[in-house]
Amino acid sequence: MKKTVSFFLFLVLLCNSAVLMAQTEPEPIKTDADKFQEFFYESLMQKGIENYDKAITALEQCLKIKPDDATVYFELGKNQLALKQYDKAYSSFEKATQIDPKNKWFWLGMYEVSYQTKDYNQAVVTINKLIAFDAVYKEDLVSLYMNTQQFDKALVLINELNATIGKSDRRDLYKMQVLSLGKYQNAEITNLIDQIDKNPKEESNYTSLIRLYSENNEAEKALEITKKLEVAIPTSAWAQVGLFKFYLEKNEGPQAINSMNMVLASAKMDSKIKHRILNEFLIFVDTNPQYAADLEKAISYFDNDPEVDVSKEIGKYYHNKKQWDKAVKYYEQTLRKNSGQDVETNLLLFQVYVETKQYDSLAKKASAMVESFPTQPQFYYFSGLANNQLQQFKKAKEMLEMGMDYVVNDVTLEINFNIQLGEAYNGLGDFKKKELYFSKANQLLKK
């Protein structure tokens, strides 16, 4: 028992000693560096979870410890910008640049504020600072010059970038906008002439200059540059575009045809330009029929054109001019290419057959189309019309009565069906029905 009491007494004394030691040992003292680090990490954590106000509070504590720390001002600006406190953010970024002007990211902060607030004039000042770090920011400067309507500076910078790093779609668009103002065109003409002298193999400079001269109605100067392009780049299809028009105006058919064929054969030339040239040549051939064979060759370049059926369009051209034999030729050419199944072309062809009274051909082809397109009422109509003209009245009546069932919301076609049915019954000697259908046609005409 005595030993037990002695043991407990020893434990009590030991515990008391430990408590006494804990009470007397001093707490560790945090240095300013430790406090700064804690506040800074706290700001990063709060920013990460979008507690920007708390992040700002932590950063303000950092500044009490280190009032000239550029990184703290930079972080402060980022949080203020997130809260759209634009004036404060700009001031913070600016303070960071004053402390450390060699840090690109601090200037980027100022630029971001200026851009978001659409203060483009201030953005111009800042972006020029950034260009000292990386010339890539010249692209932004072009846009800023456009936004601030400093078009003369924009044009100079666009030309510089085009010459040093190549053209871009955006800069080309900006350049078109500037040149549309007119007063900058002389400067651009001078620039293009200079570029041609420096790099005579760059085709785009010639074409741009030709376009400017053409827009200013300076045809002779445009022709001069076109010929210069042909000498510098003999394979240039663009040179032939200008020469083609010149030769047509001078009525120099062989030369025009040579230029046209070079353009049409070029894989680089835009299809719209090719179509325009073909249309111009078509008009030329209309008054110079000796070149009809060359027109046929020109059309062959468009055989695989997925956008426009050229032979059909030429057929329409002659159709409108009532040159029926030529219209038929090109419609039939179109139908040979698509196995005769193009509905629109067949209907156009049938109209020409009516105009030229080719009723045998019309009757045969219209009946064939009825079989291929049994719900297309126009084909029944043309079949009926042709058979009436051939005095095949029973056949006409049958085709017209079948086709009438498919006429929907087309009053003109319905009138024509009734007229032809009247003609069919007249030929069959059924005058009562003849009058019935003629009467229906008259009633529809009065509506």
PDB file of all heavy atoms in Angstrom, residues 287-316:
ATOM      1  N   THR A 287     -23.442  38.911-131.141  1.00  0.00           N
ATOM      2  CA  THR A 287     -23.266  39.861-132.259  1.00  0.00           C
ATOM      3  C   THR A 287     -22.093  39.473-133.157  1.00  0.00           C
ATOM      4  O   THR A 287     -21.843  40.115-134.175  1.00  0.00           O
ATOM      5  CB  THR A 287     -23.040  41.289-131.713  1.00  0.00           C
ATOM      6  OG1 THR A 287     -21.944  41.279-130.791  1.00  0.00           O
ATOM      7  CG2 THR A 287     -24.288  41.797-131.009  1.00  0.00           C
ATOM      8  N   ASN A 288     -21.371  38.422-132.729  1.00  0.00           N
ATOM      9  CA  ASN A 288     -20.246  37.915-133.523  1.00  0.00           C
ATOM     10  C   ASN A 288     -20.347  36.390-133.618  1.00  0.00           C
ATOM     11  O   ASN A 288     -19.549  35.654-133.004  1.00  0.00           O
ATOM     12  CB  ASN A 288     -18.910  38.321-132.878  1.00  0.00           C
ATOM     13  CG  ASN A 288     -18.695  39.822-132.827  1.00  0.00           C
ATOM     14  OD1 ASN A 288     -18.190  40.426-133.766  1.00  0.00           O
ATOM     15  ND2 ASN A 288     -19.110  40.441-131.723  1.00  0.00           N
ATOM     16  N   PRO A 289     -21.351  35.893-134.337  1.00  0.00           N
ATOM     17  CA  PRO A 289     -21.634  34.447-134.363  1.00  0.00           C
ATOM     18  C   PRO A 289     -20.504  33.590-134.911  1.00  0.00           C
ATOM     19  O   PRO A 289     -20.513  32.374-134.734  1.00  0.00           O
ATOM     20  CB  PRO A 289     -22.881  34.351-135.242  1.00  0.00           C
ATOM     21  CG  PRO A 289     -22.907  35.613-136.040  1.00  0.00           C
ATOM     22  CD  PRO A 289     -22.285  36.652-135.178  1.00  0.00           C
ATOM     23  N   GLN A 290     -19.521  34.189-135.546  1.00  0.00           N
ATOM     24  CA  GLN A 290     -18.396  33.417-136.075  1.00  0.00           C
ATOM     25  C   GLN A 290     -17.573  32.763-134.965  1.00  0.00           C
ATOM     26  O   GLN A 290     -16.765  31.854-135.228  1.00  0.00           O
ATOM     27  CB  GLN A 290     -17.493  34.285-136.955  1.00  0.00           C
ATOM     28  CG  GLN A 290     -16.722  35.387-136.241  1.00  0.00           C
ATOM     29  CD  GLN A 290     -17.494  36.716-136.189  1.00  0.00           C
ATOM     30  OE1 GLN A 290     -18.726  36.717-136.156  1.00  0.00           O
ATOM     31  NE2 GLN A 290     -16.760  37.814-136.198  1.00  0.00           N
ATOM     32  N   TYR A 291     -17.811  33.212-133.709  1.00  0.00           N
ATOM     33  CA  TYR A 291     -17.072  32.645-132.580  1.00  0.00           C
ATOM     34  C   TYR A 291     -17.918  31.646-131.771  1.00  0.00           C
ATOM     35  O   TYR A 291     -17.582  31.330-130.627  1.00  0.00           O
ATOM     36  CB  TYR A 291     -16.570  33.759-131.657  1.00  0.00           C
ATOM     37  CG  TYR A 291     -15.632  34.728-132.349  1.00  0.00           C
ATOM     38  CD1 TYR A 291     -15.984  36.066-132.507  1.00  0.00           C
ATOM     39  CD2 TYR A 291     -14.403  34.306-132.840  1.00  0.00           C
ATOM     40  CE1 TYR A 291     -15.131  36.962-133.149  1.00  0.00           C
ATOM     41  CE2 TYR A 291     -13.544  35.195-133.482  1.00  0.00           C
ATOM     42  CZ  TYR A 291     -13.920  36.519-133.632  1.00  0.00           C
ATOM     43  OH  TYR A 291     -13.068  37.393-134.275  1.00  0.00           O
ATOM     44  N   ALA A 292     -18.983  31.137-132.371  1.00  0.00           N
ATOM     45  CA  ALA A 292     -19.884  30.215-131.669  1.00  0.00           C
ATOM     46  C   ALA A 292     -19.163  28.949-131.206  1.00  0.00           C
ATOM     47  O   ALA A 292     -19.424  28.426-130.112  1.00  0.00           O
ATOM     48  CB  ALA A 292     -21.065  29.847-132.569  1.00  0.00           C
ATOM     49  N   ALA A 293     -18.253  28.454-132.021  1.00  0.00           N
ATOM     50  CA  ALA A 293     -17.505  27.243-131.641  1.00  0.00           C
ATOM     51  C   ALA A 293     -16.651  27.486-130.402  1.00  0.00           C
ATOM     52  O   ALA A 293     -16.479  26.593-129.554  1.00  0.00           O
ATOM     53  CB  ALA A 293     -16.626  26.788-132.811  1.00  0.00           C
ATOM     54  N   ASP A 294     -16.140  28.695-130.266  1.00  0.00           N
ATOM     55  CA  ASP A 294     -15.338  29.028-129.081  1.00  0.00           C
ATOM     56  C   ASP A 294     -16.211  29.119-127.836  1.00  0.00           C
ATOM     57  O   ASP A 294     -15.757  28.822-126.728  1.00  0.00           O
ATOM     58  CB  ASP A 294     -14.608  30.354-129.315  1.00  0.00           C
ATOM     59  CG  ASP A 294     -13.620  30.260-130.469  1.00  0.00           C
ATOM     60  OD1 ASP A 294     -12.586  29.595-130.305  1.00  0.00           O
ATOM     61  OD2 ASP A 294     -13.917  30.837-131.534  1.00  0.00           O
ATOM     62  N   LEU A 295     -17.463  29.522-128.049  1.00  0.00           N
ATOM     63  CA  LEU A 295     -18.401  29.532-126.929  1.00  0.00           C
ATOM     64  C   LEU A 295     -18.641  28.106-126.443  1.00  0.00           C
ATOM     65  O   LEU A 295     -18.690  27.864-125.228  1.00  0.00           O
ATOM     66  CB  LEU A 295     -19.718  30.186-127.347  1.00  0.00           C
ATOM     67  CG  LEU A 295     -20.834  30.191-126.290  1.00  0.00           C
ATOM     68  CD1 LEU A 295     -20.391  30.995-125.063  1.00  0.00           C
ATOM     69  CD2 LEU A 295     -22.114  30.785-126.885  1.00  0.00           C
ATOM     70  N   GLU A 296     -18.777  27.157-127.365  1.00  0.00           N
ATOM     71  CA  GLU A 296     -18.975  25.752-126.991  1.00  0.00           C
ATOM     72  C   GLU A 296     -17.800  25.245-126.160  1.00  0.00           C
ATOM     73  O   GLU A 296     -17.983  24.552-125.156  1.00  0.00           O
ATOM     74  CB  GLU A 296     -19.130  24.895-128.253  1.00  0.00           C
ATOM     75  CG  GLU A 296     -20.372  25.180-129.057  1.00  0.00           C
ATOM     76  CD  GLU A 296     -21.637  24.902-128.271  1.00  0.00           C
ATOM     77  OE1 GLU A 296     -21.664  23.913-127.518  1.00  0.00           O
ATOM     78  OE2 GLU A 296     -22.584  25.692-128.379  1.00  0.00           O
ATOM     79  N   LYS A 297     -16.615  25.604-126.575  1.00  0.00           N
ATOM     80  CA  LYS A 297     -15.435  25.181-125.819  1.00  0.00           C
ATOM     81  C   LYS A 297     -15.434  25.804-124.423  1.00  0.00           C
ATOM     82  O   LYS A 297     -15.099  25.144-123.436  1.00  0.00           O
ATOM     83  CB  LYS A 297     -14.170  25.585-126.571  1.00  0.00           C
ATOM     84  CG  LYS A 297     -12.886  25.163-125.847  1.00  0.00           C
ATOM     85  CD  LYS A 297     -11.649  25.624-126.606  1.00  0.00           C
ATOM     86  CE  LYS A 297     -10.380  25.259-125.811  1.00  0.00           C
ATOM     87  NZ  LYS A 297      -9.148  25.735-126.501  1.00  0.00           N
ATOM     88  N   ALA A 298     -15.806  27.075-124.362  1.00  0.00           N
ATOM     89  CA  ALA A 298     -15.839  27.762-123.063  1.00  0.00           C
ATOM     90  C   ALA A 298     -16.834  27.093-122.120  1.00  0.00           C
ATOM     91  O   ALA A 298     -16.561  26.921-120.926  1.00  0.00           O
ATOM     92  CB  ALA A 298     -16.195  29.232-123.263  1.00  0.00           C
ATOM     93  N   ILE A 299     -17.980  26.690-122.647  1.00  0.00           N
ATOM     94  CA  ILE A 299     -19.006  26.050-121.819  1.00  0.00           C
ATOM     95  C   ILE A 299     -18.491  24.737-121.243  1.00  0.00           C
ATOM     96  O   ILE A 299     -18.808  24.365-120.108  1.00  0.00           O
ATOM     97  CB  ILE A 299     -20.285  25.816-122.651  1.00  0.00           C
ATOM     98  CG1 ILE A 299     -20.926  27.152-123.013  1.00  0.00           C
ATOM     99  CG2 ILE A 299     -21.289  24.953-121.888  1.00  0.00           C
ATOM    100  CD1 ILE A 299     -22.040  27.036-124.031  1.00  0.00           C
ATOM    101  N   SER A 300     -17.656  24.039-122.005  1.00  0.00           N
ATOM    102  CA  SER A 300     -17.153  22.735-121.543  1.00  0.00           C
ATOM    103  C   SER A 300     -16.325  22.841-120.265  1.00  0.00           C
ATOM    104  O   SER A 300     -16.203  21.873-119.518  1.00  0.00           O
ATOM    105  CB  SER A 300     -16.317  22.075-122.649  1.00  0.00           C
ATOM    106  OG  SER A 300     -15.092  22.786-122.862  1.00  0.00           O
ATOM    107  N   TYR A 301     -15.767  24.028-119.995  1.00  0.00           N
ATOM    108  CA  TYR A 301     -15.015  24.210-118.748  1.00  0.00           C
ATOM    109  C   TYR A 301     -15.914  24.095-117.516  1.00  0.00           C
ATOM    110  O   TYR A 301     -15.435  23.869-116.405  1.00  0.00           O
ATOM    111  CB  TYR A 301     -14.328  25.584-118.738  1.00  0.00           C
ATOM    112  CG  TYR A 301     -13.106  25.694-119.614  1.00  0.00           C
ATOM    113  CD1 TYR A 301     -13.144  26.408-120.804  1.00  0.00           C
ATOM    114  CD2 TYR A 301     -11.903  25.098-119.251  1.00  0.00           C
ATOM    115  CE1 TYR A 301     -12.020  26.530-121.613  1.00  0.00           C
ATOM    116  CE2 TYR A 301     -10.774  25.212-120.058  1.00  0.00           C
ATOM    117  CZ  TYR A 301     -10.840  25.927-121.236  1.00  0.00           C
ATOM    118  OH  TYR A 301      -9.716  26.034-122.035  1.00  0.00           O
ATOM    119  N   PHE A 302     -17.210  24.247-117.714  1.00  0.00           N
ATOM    120  CA  PHE A 302     -18.147  24.259-116.590  1.00  0.00           C
ATOM    121  C   PHE A 302     -18.930  22.945-116.460  1.00  0.00           C
ATOM    122  O   PHE A 302     -19.897  22.878-115.715  1.00  0.00           O
ATOM    123  CB  PHE A 302     -19.145  25.416-116.753  1.00  0.00           C
ATOM    124  CG  PHE A 302     -18.505  26.778-116.735  1.00  0.00           C
ATOM    125  CD1 PHE A 302     -18.044  27.364-117.900  1.00  0.00           C
ATOM    126  CD2 PHE A 302     -18.346  27.469-115.545  1.00  0.00           C
ATOM    127  CE1 PHE A 302     -17.455  28.621-117.896  1.00  0.00           C
ATOM    128  CE2 PHE A 302     -17.753  28.725-115.519  1.00  0.00           C
ATOM    129  CZ  PHE A 302     -17.305  29.300-116.692  1.00  0.00           C
ATOM    130  N   ASP A 303     -18.491  21.914-117.158  1.00  0.00           N
ATOM    131  CA  ASP A 303     -19.242  20.656-117.146  1.00  0.00           C
ATOM    132  C   ASP A 303     -19.426  20.088-115.741  1.00  0.00           C
ATOM    133  O   ASP A 303     -20.454  19.479-115.434  1.00  0.00           O
ATOM    134  CB  ASP A 303     -18.550  19.611-118.036  1.00  0.00           C
ATOM    135  CG  ASP A 303     -18.803  19.871-119.512  1.00  0.00           C
ATOM    136  OD1 ASP A 303     -19.696  20.686-119.825  1.00  0.00           O
ATOM    137  OD2 ASP A 303     -18.100  19.270-120.352  1.00  0.00           O
ATOM    138  N   ASN A 304     -18.427  20.277-114.903  1.00  0.00           N
ATOM    139  CA  ASN A 304     -18.499  19.719-113.539  1.00  0.00           C
ATOM    140  C   ASN A 304     -18.760  20.777-112.480  1.00  0.00           C
ATOM    141  O   ASN A 304     -18.471  20.564-111.296  1.00  0.00           O
ATOM    142  CB  ASN A 304     -17.201  18.966-113.222  1.00  0.00           C
ATOM    143  CG  ASN A 304     -16.964  17.798-114.164  1.00  0.00           C
ATOM    144  OD1 ASN A 304     -17.885  17.032-114.452  1.00  0.00           O
ATOM    145  ND2 ASN A 304     -15.741  17.666-114.659  1.00  0.00           N
ATOM    146  N   ASP A 305     -19.297  21.901-112.907  1.00  0.00           N
ATOM    147  CA  ASP A 305     -19.599  22.981-111.958  1.00  0.00           C
ATOM    148  C   ASP A 305     -20.765  22.563-111.063  1.00  0.00           C
ATOM    149  O   ASP A 305     -21.867  22.316-111.551  1.00  0.00           O
ATOM    150  CB  ASP A 305     -19.968  24.258-112.720  1.00  0.00           C
ATOM    151  CG  ASP A 305     -20.012  25.482-111.811  1.00  0.00           C
ATOM    152  OD1 ASP A 305     -20.456  25.341-110.652  1.00  0.00           O
ATOM    153  OD2 ASP A 305     -19.610  26.563-112.257  1.00  0.00           O
ATOM    154  N   PRO A 306     -20.537  22.465-109.735  1.00  0.00           N
ATOM    155  CA  PRO A 306     -21.610  22.009-108.845  1.00  0.00           C
ATOM    156  C   PRO A 306     -22.641  23.087-108.519  1.00  0.00           C
ATOM    157  O   PRO A 306     -23.703  22.791-107.970  1.00  0.00           O
ATOM    158  CB  PRO A 306     -20.846  21.598-107.576  1.00  0.00           C
ATOM    159  CG  PRO A 306     -19.647  22.504-107.564  1.00  0.00           C
ATOM    160  CD  PRO A 306     -19.289  22.740-109.010  1.00  0.00           C
ATOM    161  N   GLU A 307     -22.334  24.336-108.852  1.00  0.00           N
ATOM    162  CA  GLU A 307     -23.198  25.440-108.438  1.00  0.00           C
ATOM    163  C   GLU A 307     -24.159  25.898-109.537  1.00  0.00           C
ATOM    164  O   GLU A 307     -25.325  26.193-109.260  1.00  0.00           O
ATOM    165  CB  GLU A 307     -22.343  26.640-107.984  1.00  0.00           C
ATOM    166  CG  GLU A 307     -21.471  26.335-106.764  1.00  0.00           C
ATOM    167  CD  GLU A 307     -20.587  27.502-106.390  1.00  0.00           C
ATOM    168  OE1 GLU A 307     -20.743  28.582-107.003  1.00  0.00           O
ATOM    169  OE2 GLU A 307     -19.742  27.350-105.492  1.00  0.00           O
ATOM    170  N   VAL A 308     -23.681  25.965-110.763  1.00  0.00           N
ATOM    171  CA  VAL A 308     -24.487  26.521-111.852  1.00  0.00           C
ATOM    172  C   VAL A 308     -24.448  25.590-113.049  1.00  0.00           C
ATOM    173  O   VAL A 308     -23.381  25.130-113.452  1.00  0.00           O
ATOM    174  CB  VAL A 308     -23.967  27.921-112.267  1.00  0.00           C
ATOM    175  CG1 VAL A 308     -24.813  28.484-113.400  1.00  0.00           C
ATOM    176  CG2 VAL A 308     -23.968  28.870-111.077  1.00  0.00           C
ATOM    177  N   ASP A 309     -25.642  25.297-113.606  1.00  0.00           N
ATOM    178  CA  ASP A 309     -25.723  24.537-114.857  1.00  0.00           C
ATOM    179  C   ASP A 309     -25.613  25.554-115.995  1.00  0.00           C
ATOM    180  O   ASP A 309     -26.595  26.186-116.396  1.00  0.00           O
ATOM    181  CB  ASP A 309     -27.041  23.771-114.928  1.00  0.00           C
ATOM    182  CG  ASP A 309     -27.071  22.775-116.072  1.00  0.00           C
ATOM    183  OD1 ASP A 309     -26.443  23.060-117.104  1.00  0.00           O
ATOM    184  OD2 ASP A 309     -27.715  21.728-115.934  1.00  0.00           O
ATOM    185  N   VAL A 310     -24.412  25.726-116.500  1.00  0.00           N
ATOM    186  CA  VAL A 310     -24.124  26.796-117.451  1.00  0.00           C
ATOM    187  C   VAL A 310     -24.909  26.631-118.745  1.00  0.00           C
ATOM    188  O   VAL A 310     -25.459  27.603-119.281  1.00  0.00           O
ATOM    189  CB  VAL A 310     -22.604  26.867-117.723  1.00  0.00           C
ATOM    190  CG1 VAL A 310     -22.314  27.808-118.884  1.00  0.00           C
ATOM    191  CG2 VAL A 310     -21.875  27.341-116.474  1.00  0.00           C
ATOM    192  N   SER A 311     -24.967  25.411-119.266  1.00  0.00           N
ATOM    193  CA  SER A 311     -25.679  25.222-120.541  1.00  0.00           C
ATOM    194  C   SER A 311     -27.158  25.568-120.395  1.00  0.00           C
ATOM    195  O   SER A 311     -27.770  26.137-121.308  1.00  0.00           O
ATOM    196  CB  SER A 311     -25.503  23.794-121.048  1.00  0.00           C
ATOM    197  OG  SER A 311     -25.884  22.850-120.075  1.00  0.00           O
ATOM    198  N   LYS A 312     -27.743  25.263-119.248  1.00  0.00           N
ATOM    199  CA  LYS A 312     -29.144  25.629-119.021  1.00  0.00           C
ATOM    200  C   LYS A 312     -29.307  27.145-118.987  1.00  0.00           C
ATOM    201  O   LYS A 312     -30.249  27.696-119.572  1.00  0.00           O
ATOM    202  CB  LYS A 312     -29.657  25.042-117.714  1.00  0.00           C
ATOM    203  CG  LYS A 312     -31.123  25.369-117.446  1.00  0.00           C
ATOM    204  CD  LYS A 312     -31.500  25.238-115.977  1.00  0.00           C
ATOM    205  CE  LYS A 312     -31.542  23.817-115.533  1.00  0.00           C
ATOM    206  NZ  LYS A 312     -32.112  23.655-114.174  1.00  0.00           N
ATOM    207  N   GLU A 313     -28.388  27.826-118.297  1.00  0.00           N
ATOM    208  CA  GLU A 313     -28.482  29.285-118.198  1.00  0.00           C
ATOM    209  C   GLU A 313     -28.314  29.945-119.568  1.00  0.00           C
ATOM    210  O   GLU A 313     -28.973  30.947-119.866  1.00  0.00           O
ATOM    211  CB  GLU A 313     -27.429  29.807-117.215  1.00  0.00           C
ATOM    212  CG  GLU A 313     -27.631  29.357-115.779  1.00  0.00           C
ATOM    213  CD  GLU A 313     -29.022  29.691-115.248  1.00  0.00           C
ATOM    214  OE1 GLU A 313     -29.461  30.850-115.441  1.00  0.00           O
ATOM    215  OE2 GLU A 313     -29.675  28.804-114.680  1.00  0.00           O
ATOM    216  N   ILE A 314     -27.452  29.375-120.393  1.00  0.00           N
ATOM    217  CA  ILE A 314     -27.298  29.924-121.747  1.00  0.00           C
ATOM    218  C   ILE A 314     -28.570  29.660-122.550  1.00  0.00           C
ATOM    219  O   ILE A 314     -29.017  30.504-123.341  1.00  0.00           O
ATOM    220  CB  ILE A 314     -26.064  29.316-122.438  1.00  0.00           C
ATOM    221  CG1 ILE A 314     -24.800  29.818-121.734  1.00  0.00           C
ATOM    222  CG2 ILE A 314     -26.023  29.677-123.923  1.00  0.00           C
ATOM    223  CD1 ILE A 314     -23.514  29.243-122.251  1.00  0.00           C
ATOM    224  N   GLY A 315     -29.172  28.488-122.341  1.00  0.00           N
ATOM    225  CA  GLY A 315     -30.456  28.209-122.974  1.00  0.00           C
ATOM    226  C   GLY A 315     -31.503  29.234-122.594  1.00  0.00           C
ATOM    227  O   GLY A 315     -32.270  29.724-123.446  1.00  0.00           O
ATOM    228  N   LYS A 316     -31.545  29.603-121.332  1.00  0.00           N
ATOM    229  CA  LYS A 316     -32.498  30.623-120.869  1.00  0.00           C
ATOM    230  C   LYS A 316     -32.207  31.976-121.534  1.00  0.00           C
ATOM    231  O   LYS A 316     -33.136  32.734-121.853  1.00  0.00           O
ATOM    232  CB  LYS A 316     -32.414  30.770-119.346  1.00  0.00           C
ATOM    233  CG  LYS A 316     -32.977  29.591-118.570  1.00  0.00           C
ATOM    234  CD  LYS A 316     -32.835  29.852-117.068  1.00  0.00           C
ATOM    235  CE  LYS A 316     -33.364  28.704-116.241  1.00  0.00           C
ATOM    236  NZ  LYS A 316     -33.199  28.955-114.787  1.00  0.00           N
TER     237      LYS A 316
END
